[in-house]
Amino acid sequence: VQLVESGGGLVQAGGSLRLSCAISGFSVGEYAVGWFRQAPGKQRETVSCLGRDGISYYYGDSLRGRLAISSDNAKNTVNLQIYNLKPEDTAVYICAADYTCHEYGDFGNEGQGTQVTVSS
């Protein structure tokens, strides 16, 4: 099982990014795929998850209303669109797979992450 994130970068506040989690070793829908973020000096935060049944979950208040999680079955990816980015969204964004979506606790398989930096 391997997950590889892409799509991060430097963006101005108010902009948007589409992060992608490329999956190998299983097909989208066989496992839940979650997105997390880790900012320096802050606790890791679960932001969203796509369940095996296709149901989307969004967690926490900091990104509420600014996220959209989706899958591309042809490319076997799970994507996270982030709108209206703010400087406090600066973090490494990581995708991971587990049997079910859950807000707390580790997922079993993680990618290396993609850096998102938002300038003011």
Side-chain angles (χ1 to χ4, degrees):
V1 173
Q2 188 176 20
L3 298 95
V4 179
E5 302 90 341
S6 63
L10 175 64
V11 63
Q12 284 191 328
S16 62
L17 280 176
R18 184 172 178 267
L19 308 181
S20 184
C21 177
I23 299 163
S24 59
F26 67 93
S27 298
V28 170
E30 290 189 282
Y31 287 90
V33 177
W35 280 95
F36 311 80
R37 67 181 184 179
Q38 179 74 63
K42 293 187 178 180
Q43 203 165 10
R44 183 158 139 167
E45 180 182 7
T46 309
V47 298
S48 185
C49 184
L50 185 66
R52 289 180 294 134
D53 52 7
I55 294 177
S56 303
Y57 298 88
Y58 301 100
Y59 304 108
D61 295 327
S62 57
L63 285 161
R64 190 173 298 278
R66 300 191 287 122
L67 292 178
I69 192 169
S70 63
S71 65
D72 185 330
N73 291 352
K75 295 181 179 179
N76 210 34
T77 61
V78 173
N79 307 308
L80 185 71
Q81 183 82 40
I82 313 174
Y83 302 95
N84 190 23
L85 281 154
K86 303 176 181 181
E88 52 264 40
D89 295 325
T90 295
V92 176
Y93 286 73
I94 303 158
C95 65
D98 204 346
Y99 191 68
T100 61
C101 289
H102 48 91
E103 185 175 3
Y104 303 105
D106 292 333
F107 278 42
N109 297 281
E110 297 185 1
Q112 293 299 308
T114 185
Q115 175 72 46
V116 172
T117 303
V118 185
S119 62
S120 58

